[in-house]
Amino acid sequence: MNQPARVLSPVPSPASARSAMERIAAQLGRAVQGKEAQAQLVVTCLVAGGHLLLEDVPGVGKTTLAEALARACGLSFARVQFTADLMPADILGAQVFHAQSATFQFRPGPLFRQLVLADELNRAPPRTQSALLEAMAQGQVSLDGATYPLPAPFTVVATQNPVDFSGTYPLPDSQLDRFMMRMSLGHPAPEVESRLLATRGGVPPLDAVESVSGPEEVASLRALAAELKLDGAVADYVVQLATATRQHGDIERGASTRAVLALGAAARAQALWESRDFVTPGDVRALLVPCWAHRVLLRSAVQGVSARDEAAHLLEEISRKVPAPR
Amino acid sequence: MRSSLRMVLRDLGAGAAFASMGVSGQLPVWTLVLYGLALVCALFGRRLFGQREKLTALLLLVVAAVLGMNVLAGSLNLVVAACAFAGLISAHRLLSHPGPATDGQVHLSGLLMVAGGAALTGELVYGLCLVAFSVLSSMSLALGVVEEAVPEGEPVPVREVMSPLAKGLAFAVAGAVAFFILFPRLNWNMMGLRASPGLGAATAGFSNTVRLGGTGNIKGNPRIVLRATLDPDPEKEELEAYWVGRTYDIFDGQEWTSIGGARGSGDWMVTLRPGSEGLVHQRVELLPAYGARTLVALETPSRLGNAAVHSQTGSRRARIQELGGGEVRFLDPGIAFSYEAYSLPPGGSGDSFQKLPSEEQDALLNLPQKLDPRVAQTAARVLNGEREPLAAARKLAAWLQRDFTYTLELGGDVEDPLADFLFERKAGHCEHFATALTLMLRTQGIRARLATGFFGGERVNDSYVVRAGDAHAWTHVLVPGRGFVTVDATPPAHRASQAAQILEDLLSFYESLEERWRSAVVDYSFRDQLDVARALVRPPRGQDDDGAPSRLPPLRAWASAFVAGAVAYFVWRRMSRFLERERPHDATRFVDAVEAQLASARLERREGEALEELDARLARERHPLSPALSPITRRYLEARFGGRPLRKGEAAELLGTLKRAIAADARRAAEEARVPRARAS
């Protein structure tokens, strides 16, 4: 488990918040090159207090990215490989009998870390998925009548393979809704791959990542983001977008209220990238697809990549049609 | 600049509203003067009361007290006093410091004044003032709205504004017309003392007395005072006829008067002298410009009757009364009169002289006490022994026409106007000629009197019109066996109206408009409206299957109700939409102006690209305008979504920066275009 290398002072202003977020994103860029936009999204999601769903084929750096985030932010980190036989106790922890004191003592599972990577989440049985998702929603674990708070800040980065669904338990919509953002990394550009090959020569990418922040700073960033002004017109705009998804002919189920709140929180964090202490419609539009594409259910029964692309396409169409406040 | 134009429009609108009351001619002169001064000061931007509004408002209390005393003393009508006071309130507001509240008060007082004007008069001129007020005030209000919408320092987008402004003005004019048509129906004008109709003072040349030596220019007034149809129709374009109103027999050296008082207490018909075969029948209409109550008829009137008096509330039958001097007068006031008359053929026939009372017979030879002896000497010299009345009169008339000049330029009152005319100036107008002829005949023992009325008649369609400028005076010579015969000493060329043709044409056009207006609107009374409404809802005469008359309103009533309901609904929808419309944010108006400037710089925008997205793109592309646009975009976003509104003047400052950047970019592009490119050799 990584410990923060140094404790930084709380973030006082949007300008210094931007600086801190850029520092973190730069470290992510060292681990996963050529993915600046995705790195920025990951940091936004972290600052907004949301959980991230990485959906991509194996080998593009999902795990690296999550681990790099933990290291850059100085967060305690655990990686759990979700498999078909993974039980809830494997991630939550268990009551263990202590022979000397003749009592049961709680032994925390890997979930009791500040950043948990749930690798291939869809391979675990629903019980285990539910245990994780409950912890994501509540920020605590309930076991044998006792409640154990999770460490703050607590963030889950889950991955799933979008093409190989055999023997998996696809996440239900209600559980997908718990993730603030869903994103794909995609293969790096050929020149980036060439550079990787030429420069690293097998050196683990995480070694290049330095700890440039700490849990206190992340908590401060989250507190600052939560306080940013979201004008009534922008709030109306978010609601109008949600209404448009609910009324769209090609969408079976539109954005939920949780989705509306998530988009608002994410937009607040997004505003910090511009050193702003208020949210603009542009912040909302920028995060519409990452925040909502996995939450809307299309009428067509298409699964996988094409469904996600179609959802993104519909959301972009909606953002063009719904007039933004001026 | 923009603001001053709005203020001028506002002030002119208020002036038009005041004029709508002023044209009634009933407001006290001092209120007209005060308002005029206030308006002129306001138009020149002198807001004299701007510093001490409350103190100067006390003046209004003083004015109110003066008006109240006038009302209590009975010298001023309550409605007139209220209208005058409304005008003075408006004047005070005009001279006060301009601001949103003052603007509203000026417009509100304008509305009060046009309402007051409706109470005082319903003439066409009032309608014109009302429309002027509606248009000017609407333009002022619209300009105010546009100024609110356009950020400080930005020019008004004239092209974009023109279309909605035109619609708004059309709406205002339609509203004004509707207001004018509906408002006079309230019968308020009955409360007012109508001093004179139309354009204020009476415009006809006809007057109750004839006084020589006064100044005046009645010949140039082409307003129509009389319209008549004749039977048999002479079918001439120009009628050389004498329309007599009254006659005079006593001259005191300055003024003509009549002896003899009222005869009878008023009747529906007055017979002046026995009728005969070949009478000329006339249907006469005395128009508002006439301004008197004396009936006028072709020489020689024999019978007058079937009179009707027209007021703004409708027309009614009127009684008439014969007075001295053969004058017949309406007993009731009105804005216009109509009646029928029968006249003997011109030239005089039938001798009614013997029926005249002896004092009236004697009056026909009456001479002023201080008559210049040269008058009689001159008459005797000219007549040279001629004693036959008609021949003598014609001889004297010919002499006067030959040796004397017609003029309207008089020097004012003189002690003996007749001597002044005959022996000094040797120039005068019709009254001088007629007076001279009459008195010269009397010095020779020939009975004569002065007659006044109108001469001429211009054919318009099937009727003849007589203008104020046709007012005339002439002589009646008593010829034994024939009665009074007209002899006119005025040179023939100067008997008819002397107005310029173009002025006559313009006035004719106005008169025809006014005529249509009066018949279609003013005379269309509340009773007429009710009649139309009753006719609309009256059940059809047809019977249904049971043989009983239908009690349901006819289809046209349902259709009218439907149309009225639809119009009301449409207006309500439009109005409610307009009222519920959210006022645009200051920052939104600012960003509109920014985008307008960017559009003028022909900066290509992507579909649906917001300003911040455009800014980001320009920054990526290192566009020359990016350094200027970025702070503007940032400030807009702060003002719109960040809760930090634009400071006063900041929008203009930022826009100025952008404007300069755009201009610099355009200059740079032009210079680059001028630099010749190296040609490969």
Side-chain angles (χ1 to χ4, degrees):
Chain A
M1 189 171 75
N2 293 317
Q3 294 297 324
R6 54 200 165 106
V7 176
L8 298 177
S9 59
V11 179
S13 69
S16 54
R18 173 183 178 171
S19 168
M21 290 163 73
E22 283 176 343
R23 277 201 316 270
I24 299 168
Q27 294 305 314
L28 299 187
R30 288 185 173 190
V32 185
Q33 292 188 19
K35 298 291 174 188
E36 287 77 15
Q38 287 85 343
Q40 197 168 330
L41 263 184
V42 169
V43 176
T44 305
C45 187
L46 175 76
V47 173
H51 306 289
L52 180 65
L53 179 62
L54 285 171
E55 211 172 56
D56 222 322
V57 293
V60 294
K62 299 191 293 290
T63 308
T64 307
L65 183 67
E67 203 165 346
L69 180 64
R71 181 172 292 196
C73 294
L75 303 177
S76 58
F77 175 75
R79 176 188 171 188
V80 182
Q81 182 66 45
F82 278 51
T83 56
D85 57 352
L86 192 74
M87 300 309 289
D90 296 333
I91 58 169
L92 299 178
Q95 297 284 359
V96 178
F97 184 74
H98 199 266
Q100 289 178 335
S101 60
T103 56
F104 282 94
Q105 288 186 344
F106 177 66
R107 192 178 65 189
L111 207 55
F112 287 81
R113 299 289 189 280
Q114 288 165 322
L115 197 149
V116 178
L117 172 60
D119 223 352
E120 297 194 80
L121 177 62
N122 55 340
R123 296 208 172 274
R127 270 187 70 195
T128 310
Q129 288 180 6
S130 295
L132 174 69
L133 295 169
E134 182 190 350
M136 288 163 62
Q138 306 294 330
Q140 63 185 25
V141 168
S142 300
L143 202 69
D144 294 337
T147 301
Y148 305 94
L150 294 169
F154 176 71
T155 299
V156 171
V157 177
T159 69
Q160 68 174 353
N161 187 339
V163 289
D164 185 9
F165 283 101
S166 57
T168 64
Y169 302 91
L171 296 174
D173 295 331
S174 61
Q175 293 184 357
L176 274 177
D177 206 27
R178 300 277 200 299
F179 288 97
M180 177 178 275
M181 293 187 197
R182 182 201 63 78
M183 56 175 279
S184 300
L185 284 177
H187 293 290
E191 60 271 19
V192 175
E193 280 187 322
S194 300
R195 194 167 63 237
L196 282 173
L197 200 59
T199 56
R200 281 204 182 140
V203 178
L206 282 172
D207 289 355
V209 177
E210 295 174 11
S211 179
V212 293
S213 185
E216 293 83 1
E217 190 175 54
V218 173
S220 299
L221 286 170
R222 286 187 170 183
L224 179 67
E227 287 174 4
L228 293 197
K229 177 180 170 60
L230 194 141
D231 189 74
V234 182
D236 290 344
Y237 179 52
V238 176
V239 173
Q240 285 169 16
L241 288 168
T243 307
T245 63
R246 294 163 192 162
Q247 294 173 346
H248 199 286
D250 295 337
I251 297 177
E252 176 75 36
R253 191 169 58 246
S256 64
T257 302
R258 186 189 284 127
V260 169
L261 296 174
L263 182 56
R268 282 186 162 101
Q270 178 74 15
L272 288 175
W273 287 107
E274 299 292 333
S275 306
R276 276 192 266 105
D277 59 357
F278 59 90
V279 179
T280 69
D283 296 330
V284 173
R285 273 198 304 273
L287 297 178
L288 185 63
V289 172
C291 285
W292 283 5
H294 61 292
R295 299 173 195 258
V296 295
L297 181 66
L298 303 183
R299 286 196 190 283
S300 57
V302 184
Q303 291 289 324
V305 179
S306 60
R308 289 193 305 276
D309 288 350
E310 179 64 17
H313 172 73
L314 289 177
L315 287 170
E316 280 165 0
E317 176 193 311
I318 285 170
S319 78
R320 278 196 302 273
K321 283 186 178 172
V322 176
R326 287 165 58 83
Chain B
M1 176 66 188
R2 286 155 43 189
S3 182
S4 66
L5 175 62
R6 179 172 61 79
M7 296 301 291
V8 167
L9 289 171
R10 187 200 78 174
D11 296 347
L12 286 176
F18 184 81
S20 74
M21 299 191 303
V23 294
S24 70
Q26 299 188 52
L27 292 184
V29 175
W30 58 272
T31 59
L32 299 173
V33 172
L34 284 180
Y35 196 89
L37 288 174
L39 184 60
V40 170
C41 287
L43 288 173
F44 281 99
R46 304 293 298 271
R47 311 287 168 186
L48 302 179
F49 297 167
Q51 299 299 323
R52 292 188 168 78
E53 288 190 17
K54 288 183 180 172
L55 188 66
T56 51
L58 290 175
L59 291 173
L60 290 174
L61 288 179
V62 177
V63 172
V66 172
L67 289 169
M69 283 191 287
N70 275 312
V71 171
L72 288 176
S75 59
L76 199 61
N77 181 272
L78 182 61
V79 174
V80 175
C83 290
F85 191 60
L88 292 169
I89 290 175
S90 173
H92 183 270
R93 295 287 83 197
L94 287 183
L95 294 177
S96 299
H97 184 70
T102 314
D103 289 354
Q105 287 156 0
V106 168
H107 292 305
L108 184 63
S109 62
L111 276 175
L112 285 174
M113 288 193 290
V114 294
L120 297 179
T121 178
E123 296 291 319
L124 179 59
V125 180
Y126 163 75
L128 297 177
C129 290
L130 175 61
V131 170
F133 163 72
S134 308
V135 170
L136 292 168
S137 292
S138 301
M139 286 176 71
S140 171
L141 283 169
L143 207 53
V145 172
V146 172
E147 282 180 13
E148 278 289 309
V150 176
E152 205 179 326
E154 270 293 283
V156 172
V158 177
R159 286 187 183 173
E160 288 79 355
V161 167
M162 283 313 287
S163 173
L165 194 60
K167 287 177 188 168
L169 285 182
F171 189 73
V173 171
V177 170
F179 179 86
F180 184 37
I181 290 173
L182 294 173
F183 216 82
R185 299 296 131 73
L186 298 178
N187 208 9
W188 290 7
N189 60 318
M190 293 299 285
M191 298 169 68
L193 295 171
R194 175 166 287 278
S196 54
L199 287 164
T203 52
F206 194 82
S207 58
N208 287 333
T209 59
V210 174
R211 181 181 177 84
L212 292 187
T215 56
N217 188 9
I218 55 176
K219 280 292 183 190
N221 190 340
R223 291 204 70 188
I224 298 174
V225 296
L226 182 154
R227 188 188 304 275
T229 53
L230 305 184
D231 184 23
D233 190 346
E235 295 181 351
K236 292 178 181 172
E237 286 301 310
E238 298 289 336
L239 199 64
E240 294 186 348
Y242 289 88
W243 302 81
V244 66
R246 66 176 300 185
T247 59
Y248 301 89
D249 36 31
I250 303 294
F251 183 66
D252 64 359
Q254 290 276 349
E255 195 172 10
W256 283 96
T257 52
S258 296
I259 62 167
R263 298 168 188 171
S265 59
D267 203 350
W268 306 112
M269 195 76 76
V270 168
T271 302
L272 298 170
R273 46 180 66 83
S276 64
E277 292 296 320
L279 292 176
V280 179
H281 176 251
Q282 308 139 62
R283 288 181 186 277
V284 182
E285 193 181 3
L286 293 176
L287 300 174
Y290 177 57
R293 285 197 231 164
T294 300
L295 279 75
V296 178
L298 280 176
E299 292 238 74
T300 305
S302 163
R303 203 167 73 210
L304 299 162
N306 285 338
V309 59
H310 306 293
S311 68
Q312 287 173 1
T313 51
S315 303
R316 64 180 184 280
R317 201 174 172 204
R319 287 177 301 128
I320 51 179
Q321 183 183 34
E322 187 183 3
L323 302 171
E327 180 184 8
V328 180
R329 181 177 283 210
F330 283 94
L331 290 176
D332 304 316
I335 57 170
F337 305 96
S338 61
Y339 52 91
E340 291 182 46
Y342 288 91
S343 295
L344 303 172
S349 66
D351 190 354
S352 58
F353 170 69
Q354 298 301 330
K355 294 178 185 173
L356 286 175
S358 60
E359 66 268 25
E360 288 191 30
Q361 292 189 29
D362 294 341
L364 295 173
L365 285 172
N366 177 280
L367 290 169
Q369 287 181 347
K370 290 182 182 177
L371 184 69
D372 193 313
R374 290 178 292 175
V375 176
Q377 293 164 10
T378 307
R381 181 174 54 80
V382 173
L383 288 178
N384 196 19
E386 177 62 61
R387 307 303 299 171
E388 200 279 314
L390 192 56
R394 284 176 177 162
K395 198 167 185 177
L396 278 172
W399 174 74
L400 284 166
Q401 289 173 5
R402 187 176 64 247
D403 290 1
F404 289 78
T405 311
Y406 184 90
T407 182
L408 289 168
E409 294 171 5
L410 303 176
D413 286 348
V414 291
E415 192 176 341
D416 187 349
L418 181 61
D420 182 61
F421 168 68
L422 284 174
F423 308 116
E424 301 296 329
R425 296 173 58 87
K426 298 200 172 189
H429 53 66
C430 58
E431 289 169 0
H432 291 98
F433 283 94
T435 301
L437 175 59
T438 307
L439 291 183
M440 288 174 93
L441 285 170
R442 287 182 180 184
T443 60
Q444 302 307 307
I446 299 170
R447 287 186 168 84
R449 68 184 182 188
L450 186 84
T452 58
F454 298 91
F455 174 81
E458 177 189 340
R459 193 176 184 90
V460 176
N461 300 327
D462 294 333
S463 60
Y464 288 91
V465 294
V466 173
R467 301 177 186 281
D470 293 332
H472 195 47
W474 60 93
T475 304
H476 278 170
V477 184
L478 186 65
V479 181
R482 288 182 64 184
F484 287 107
V485 176
T486 292
V487 176
D488 195 349
T490 308
H494 296 292
R495 288 173 190 164
S497 176
Q498 302 296 302
Q501 185 62 41
I502 185 163
L503 189 60
E504 279 196 14
D505 293 344
L506 281 174
L507 264 292
S508 295
F509 177 69
Y510 174 81
E511 296 282 357
S512 65
L513 267 183
E514 192 179 46
E515 159 67 18
R516 287 174 190 277
W517 178 257
R518 205 175 59 255
S519 61
V521 177
V522 177
D523 288 348
Y524 188 71
S525 66
F526 183 59
R527 186 181 300 166
D528 296 326
Q529 285 179 324
L530 281 179
D531 289 343
V532 170
R534 284 199 195 98
L536 201 63
V537 298
R538 189 177 296 135
R541 290 185 179 178
Q543 295 185 342
D544 57 20
D545 297 340
D546 301 334
S550 170
R551 300 182 71 84
L552 286 174
L555 184 62
R556 60 178 180 275
W558 294 107
S560 303
F562 176 77
V563 170
V567 169
Y569 175 73
F570 175 75
V571 170
W572 173 76
R573 280 286 301 272
R574 292 296 294 263
M575 290 292 289
S576 59
R577 203 176 300 166
F578 178 78
L579 293 174
E580 286 169 6
R581 194 175 54 178
E582 201 174 329
R583 189 178 143 79
H585 199 282
D586 283 349
T588 306
R589 289 185 281 137
F590 170 63
V591 80
D592 285 343
V594 169
E595 294 189 340
Q597 283 206 1
L598 292 175
S600 71
R602 302 186 183 283
L603 200 66
E604 289 193 7
R605 300 280 293 272
R606 291 173 185 162
E607 186 188 348
E609 192 175 40
L611 184 64
E612 57 264 42
E613 291 161 344
L614 172 72
D615 178 45
R617 181 166 64 82
L618 293 186
R620 283 196 303 274
E621 294 171 357
R622 298 181 188 280
H623 194 280
L625 285 180
S626 177
L629 186 61
S630 288
I632 289 175
T633 307
R634 174 103 190 167
R635 194 64 193 90
Y636 152 66
L637 292 172
E638 281 178 353
R640 178 65 181 92
F641 305 111
R644 286 187 284 278
L646 293 165
R647 296 184 306 276
K648 188 171 175 58
E650 191 182 6
E653 189 183 323
L654 291 169
L655 286 167
T657 310
L658 182 62
K659 205 169 188 173
R660 285 191 292 277
I662 289 173
D665 186 44
R667 277 197 302 275
R668 187 184 49 76
E671 281 169 12
E672 281 179 4
R674 275 203 299 274
V675 174
R677 291 178 181 172
R679 187 178 295 173
S681 57

